Amino acid sequence: MLNQPHIFVLSLSDCIERRTPLLKQLQEFGLKYEVWNAIDGRQGLPGHYESHIDRERTRQHMGRNMSDTEFACALSHRAMQQTILNRKLPGALILEDDAVLTESIPGIVSLLPLKEQDLTLLYHQGGYAWRRAGPISQKHNARRITLHPNGAVAYYITQEAAARMIDANTPVQYVADWPLDLSRISACILQPRPVQVTLTNSAIEGSRLDMKKVRSMRFLRSMRFLRRSYWRRKYLKLVSDKLC
């Protein structure tokens, strides 16, 4: 494919069976890719990465601990984003190994980067977006994000946005999705989603369930009314659409 953006496939080195279906799809679509070995936190985060994270600030920002697998995932995404800068790539499409591509992917990939968009989510869970949608093809619309969704399964990120992500998560103190407010950059989601996910179990989801809140929910509820961010979120929910 001409003018194809660089594609990174993020996968743990031993998860060959897990990433094989995605690699097969990319090959069938004639898309070139690079497999990026993810940092493995399943048996605990390797000690030399401790200087790259801040566990205390994580507890302050998120109101809970992050698991080692979450830290490893965030570090992996940050490493790919740093590679975009190091190689002076204009941007890259980043796919996690549980991504399932739809038939529209070749056409979508040929459009990336979308005009005036620093971040384009090809997959999302939840979140909010402005009601106005801009058609980018016969099947897909782009919608600007107001409150960011979850999911870093598939996204195109420009060099400029990669630099901002790195700045916002150095040292790592937040999950991969997302360390900064996406409504404050040029970020959009595509509908319908051109990428789905497999239903296989995620090591990250399992470990996240084990993390306990470090503050009581009653305390968090009582404090939220004092934050400007709470009222901003309230307003944005009123003027935008909730995403599925």
Side-chain angles (χ1 to χ4, degrees):
M1 176 179 290
L2 297 177
N3 301 320
Q4 178 206 306
H6 197 92
I7 298 176
F8 288 111
V9 174
L10 178 64
S11 181
L12 292 166
S13 60
D14 62 352
C15 290
I16 299 172
E17 184 176 350
R18 181 182 174 91
R19 64 176 173 266
T20 294
L22 172 59
L23 301 188
K24 183 179 179 181
Q25 280 194 300
L26 289 167
Q27 292 164 6
E28 290 174 347
F29 287 139
L31 297 171
K32 298 179 180 179
Y33 60 86
E34 175 182 352
V35 176
W36 184 275
N37 288 332
I39 297 167
D40 193 346
R42 291 173 295 181
Q43 304 302 320
L45 191 68
H48 59 276
Y49 287 113
E50 286 295 329
S51 62
H52 298 276
I53 68 174
D54 191 326
R55 295 184 185 272
E56 179 57 34
R57 290 178 70 181
T58 296
R59 286 189 284 269
Q60 293 172 3
H61 291 170
M62 298 187 62
R64 68 169 177 87
N65 295 311
M66 263 171 64
S67 69
D68 284 351
T69 52
E70 288 179 294
F71 275 118
C73 180
L75 285 163
S76 298
H77 280 270
R78 196 185 67 167
M80 286 186 292
Q81 292 157 7
Q82 184 63 56
T83 299
I84 292 172
L85 303 185
N86 294 345
R87 296 185 187 175
K88 295 181 170 55
L89 299 173
L93 174 60
I94 295 176
L95 301 171
E96 293 185 344
D97 61 5
D98 57 346
V100 178
L101 311 181
T102 66
E103 293 295 326
S104 61
I105 275 294
I108 294 295
V109 169
S110 68
L111 298 174
L112 298 173
L114 296 184
K115 185 178 180 181
E116 298 180 351
Q117 299 299 320
D118 287 328
L119 183 71
T120 301
L121 304 191
L122 283 68
Y123 174 84
H124 67 274
Q125 288 181 317
Y128 286 75
W130 293 117
R131 294 184 175 125
R132 182 179 178 181
I136 63 168
S137 70
Q138 292 183 340
K139 293 183 178 180
H140 294 275
N141 293 314
R143 300 182 66 183
R144 288 288 298 272
I145 293 169
T146 54
L147 294 172
H148 71 246
N150 296 322
V153 173
Y155 62 95
Y156 179 89
I157 187 168
T158 65
Q159 185 181 113
E160 293 77 11
R164 294 188 65 175
M165 290 285 182
I166 293 167
D167 287 343
N169 215 17
T170 301
V172 169
Q173 57 206 269
Y174 203 77
V175 291
D177 51 341
W178 300 93
L180 56 77
D181 184 349
L182 299 188
S183 70
R184 299 190 184 277
I185 65 173
S186 298
C188 71
I189 57 100
L190 299 185
Q191 287 186 317
R193 288 178 291 233
V195 173
Q196 303 296 331
V197 295
T198 61
L199 299 179
T200 55
N201 292 330
S202 166
I204 293 177
E205 288 300 323
S207 66
R208 183 178 291 136
L209 294 175
D210 294 333
M211 294 295 101
K212 295 181 179 180
K213 301 292 182 180
V214 297
R215 298 178 184 176
S216 71
M217 292 305 296
R218 180 178 298 177
F219 174 77
L220 289 174
R221 286 196 294 266
S222 66
M223 292 296 292
R224 70 187 189 278
F225 301 111
L226 303 179
R227 300 192 183 101
R228 180 180 296 178
S229 60
Y230 169 82
W231 295 106
R232 181 174 181 272
R233 286 178 60 86
K234 198 80 169 176
Y235 167 74
L236 289 173
K237 286 182 178 181
L238 290 173
V239 298
S240 55
D241 287 337
K242 186 175 182 179
L243 302 171
C244 297

